């Protein structure tokens, strides 16, 4: 029996580990252990996703919590190293996405000579002011196996000199999650709770430091949003909520709500007119759904959502014009709900 560590830390990770956990949980050749580092700890940022996605209590919880990037990363490395040395030495560590724990656990594992696989490898925004870009580049540079969601990611890794034999284009794991949960999502009519009609409201999410850590920047965004005719439902991330308290004026069409669980959030997105966001994952989910997405960022590490999908990059200056040119796009290759099954075969071969 081989031991697999499936590392998760923050909200976007839970959707990435769920399909893989479910694909592996009943296999007799592996013991798949969920390790939660604790970067996100509020009920609405963490446990609600475990409930929605049918995930069990993590086998180990490192309870790292908040801190500066260096604090969070260092504490995760120390705690994960101790876990591997004293409690559970894995045959393969699977890290996902680009959060601080992705970097911390891959570095700690490699220094213990453990095999590391990175799921969602090769994405690049080419903007090194983003903490996530640092996490991606470092994790990919030391991982043994690179599992990519799109061909552009393979190209990025090859340009960085990585071994082509260790790169596999496996598809988009987040789309597996959506496909797995689609019946429950369709049953929900979460928009009713907010007294809006399908296709007659906008979903907004904002949490990138460049957009929300300065009062001026957030105020400028809200000024533009107040000119939109639709009601805007805004599940506010804890980081953003702190800054909201300092603002004097909020747009009349903005409904600020608590962060939502996966099913409610995807129900709202799938019935919306369009989405305005600075998230990474939402660019992919809207592309799969064919819902126009306007991403308030200068770069994206997910260019396929623009070349093939429904995503467009906007600035606060271009937003209102771009809203008049929505895109529907098409589904990128291997965003088909079968990524976890492909991974199961690959993992079995590896270990
Ligand atoms: C992190 C990830 C980002 C991801 C995002 C999704 C990194 C570098 N960033 O950013 O890639 O898109 O999660 O949400 O790993 N907080 C709470 N409760 C919580 C979690 C956080 O109040 O459950 C507060 C923290 O105290 C902190 C702030 O929110 O002040 C930011 O949290 P942090 O985990 O540092 O980064 P995120 O902005 O969430």
């Amino acid at each position: 029996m081989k031991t697999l560590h499936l590392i998760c830390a923050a909200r976007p990770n839970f959707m990435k580990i769920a399909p893989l956990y479910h694909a592996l949980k009943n296999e007799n050749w592996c013991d798949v252990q969920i390790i939660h580092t604790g970067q996100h700890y509020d009920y609405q940022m963490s446990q609600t996703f475990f409930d929605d996605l049918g995930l069990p209590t993590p086998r180990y919880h490192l309870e790292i919590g908040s801190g500066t990037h260096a604090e969070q990363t260092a504490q995760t490395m120390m705690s994960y190293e101790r876990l591997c040395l004293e409690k559970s030495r894995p045959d393969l560590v699977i890290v996902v996405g680009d959060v601080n724990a992705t970097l911390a656990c891959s570095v700690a594992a490699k220094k213990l000579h453990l095999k590391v696989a990175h799921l969602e490898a090769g994405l690049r925004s080419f903007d090194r002011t983003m903490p996530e870009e640092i996490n991606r580049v470092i994790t990919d540079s030391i991982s043994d196996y690179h599992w990519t969601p799109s061909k552009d990611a393979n190209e990025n890794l090859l340009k960085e000199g990585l071994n082509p034999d260790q790169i596999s284009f496996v598809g988009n794991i987040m789309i597996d999650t959506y496909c797995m949960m689609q019946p429950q999502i369709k049953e929900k009519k979460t928009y009713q709770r907010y007294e809006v009609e399908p296709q007659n409201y906008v979903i907004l999410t904002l949490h990138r430091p460049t957009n929300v850590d300065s009062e001026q920047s957030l105020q400028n965004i809200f000024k533009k949003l107040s000119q939109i005719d639709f009601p805007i439902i805004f599940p506010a991330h804890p980081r953003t909520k702190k800054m909201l308290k300092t603002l004097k004026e909020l747009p009349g069409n903005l409904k600020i709500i608590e962060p939502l669980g996966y099913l409610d959030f995807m129900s709202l997105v799938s019935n919306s007119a369009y989405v305005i966001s600075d998230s990474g994952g939402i660019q992919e989910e809207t592309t799969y759904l064919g819902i126009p997405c306007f991403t308030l960022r200068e770069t994206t590490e997910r260019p396929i959502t623009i070349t093939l999908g429904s995503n467009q990059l906007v600035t606060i200056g271009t937003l209102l014009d771009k809203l008049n040119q929505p895109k529907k796009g098409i589904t990128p290759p291997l965003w088909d709900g079968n990524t976890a099954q492909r991974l199961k075969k690959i993992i079995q071969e590896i270990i």
Side-chain angles (χ1 to χ4, degrees):
M1 178 79 97
K2 301 288 185 180
T3 300
L4 298 181
H5 280 185
L6 209 43
I7 309 288
C8 62
R11 186 168 59 179
N13 296 160
F14 310 131
M15 288 83 99
K16 291 172 194 163
I17 65 159
L20 196 49
Y21 174 79
H22 289 300
L24 294 170
K25 66 183 176 193
N26 294 326
E27 295 296 311
N28 58 14
W29 51 271
C30 71
D31 174 23
V32 54
Q33 306 185 347
I34 296 179
I35 318 288
H36 192 328
T37 71
Q39 178 173 345
H40 283 177
Y41 43 85
D42 286 350
Y43 178 84
Q44 284 299 339
M45 299 296 285
S46 175
Q47 185 56 43
T48 181
F49 291 90
F50 278 72
D51 297 345
D52 278 358
L53 302 172
L55 291 171
T57 305
R59 191 78 62 94
Y60 298 100
H61 201 299
L62 306 183
E63 295 179 357
I64 300 303
S66 301
T68 66
H69 284 271
E71 284 165 354
Q72 242 178 18
T73 308
Q75 280 168 17
T76 307
M77 285 172 73
M78 287 160 67
S79 183
Y80 184 60
E81 181 186 55
R82 213 173 304 127
L83 174 79
C84 293
L85 287 173
E86 294 172 9
K87 292 193 176 136
S88 169
R89 191 176 173 90
D91 296 288
L92 181 67
V93 179
I94 302 171
V95 295
V96 300
D98 55 18
V99 301
N100 287 334
T102 313
L103 162 71
C105 293
S106 56
V107 172
K110 281 316 301 169
K111 291 199 171 184
L112 294 173
H113 303 165
L114 299 171
K115 294 278 181 217
V116 173
H118 184 202
L119 174 53
E120 202 185 84
L123 297 185
R124 296 289 180 270
S125 65
F126 303 101
D127 174 2
R128 296 225 172 156
T129 65
M130 284 179 81
E132 293 82 1
E133 183 74 354
I134 310 288
N135 295 342
R136 290 180 204 117
V137 169
I138 295 176
T139 302
D140 284 336
S141 73
I142 57 170
S143 298
D144 300 280
Y145 306 103
H146 311 281
W147 297 333
T148 69
S150 48
K151 279 284 173 68
D152 54 281
N154 290 49
E155 282 159 28
N156 292 335
L157 294 170
L158 291 173
K159 275 187 210 142
E160 289 172 18
L162 294 168
N163 181 349
D165 295 341
Q166 294 175 334
I167 304 170
S168 313
F169 170 38
V170 296
N172 191 325
I173 195 75
M174 295 253 290
I175 304 309
D176 280 34
T177 311
Y178 180 78
C179 294
M180 185 173 84
M181 305 311 294
Q182 195 178 28
Q184 282 110 300
I185 293 168
K186 288 222 155 133
E187 246 171 55
K188 291 223 162 213
K189 294 196 167 30
T190 307
Y191 57 85
Q192 288 173 343
R193 199 186 297 165
Y194 303 105
E195 294 167 352
V196 288
E197 294 296 323
Q199 282 78 54
N200 264 307
Y201 63 91
V202 174
I203 290 290
L204 171 72
T205 84
L206 290 174
H207 73 276
R208 292 271 158 229
T210 43
N211 284 330
V212 308
D213 282 3
S214 120
E215 193 179 324
Q216 189 60 48
S217 149
L218 201 52
Q219 195 75 73
N220 287 344
I221 293 173
F222 284 159
K223 223 167 161 182
K224 283 285 167 178
L225 295 179
S226 67
Q227 297 173 46
I228 292 176
D229 287 334
F230 288 121
I232 302 173
I233 302 182
F234 180 27
H237 185 284
R239 175 175 212 116
T240 316
K241 248 193 273 173
K242 283 183 202 161
M243 188 52 76
L244 284 177
K245 290 191 191 123
T246 68
L247 299 187
K248 286 171 212 83
E249 220 183 314
L250 292 169
N253 56 345
L254 196 66
K255 287 178 192 266
I256 300 174
I257 63 171
E258 289 299 307
L260 293 166
Y262 182 75
L263 300 177
D264 280 325
F265 184 71
M266 290 312 297
S267 165
L268 278 180
V269 167
S270 54
N271 287 295
S272 68
Y274 56 83
V275 174
I276 301 173
S277 174
D278 58 9
S279 151
I282 294 170
Q283 299 172 50
E284 299 181 339
E285 288 160 335
T286 46
T287 276
Y288 184 74
L289 293 167
I291 303 250
C293 180
F294 301 92
T295 298
L296 262 172
R297 284 172 44 183
E298 287 175 5
T299 56
T300 178
E301 61 289 336
R302 294 164 161 89
I304 201 158
T305 61
I306 294 180
T307 52
L308 295 186
S310 61
N311 187 27
Q312 301 185 60
L313 293 184
V314 294
T315 63
I316 204 57
T318 60
L319 174 67
L320 294 181
D321 283 342
K322 285 276 171 87
L323 292 181
N324 295 320
Q325 307 155 43
K327 281 204 297 163
K328 271 205 157 321
I330 57 165
T331 308
L334 298 195
W335 292 26
D336 59 0
N338 296 318
T339 295
Q341 289 305 324
R342 284 188 281 274
L343 283 172
K344 185 160 87 176
K345 285 205 191 100
I346 293 175
I347 295 168
Q348 205 166 7
E349 277 164 26
I350 290 173
I351 63 172

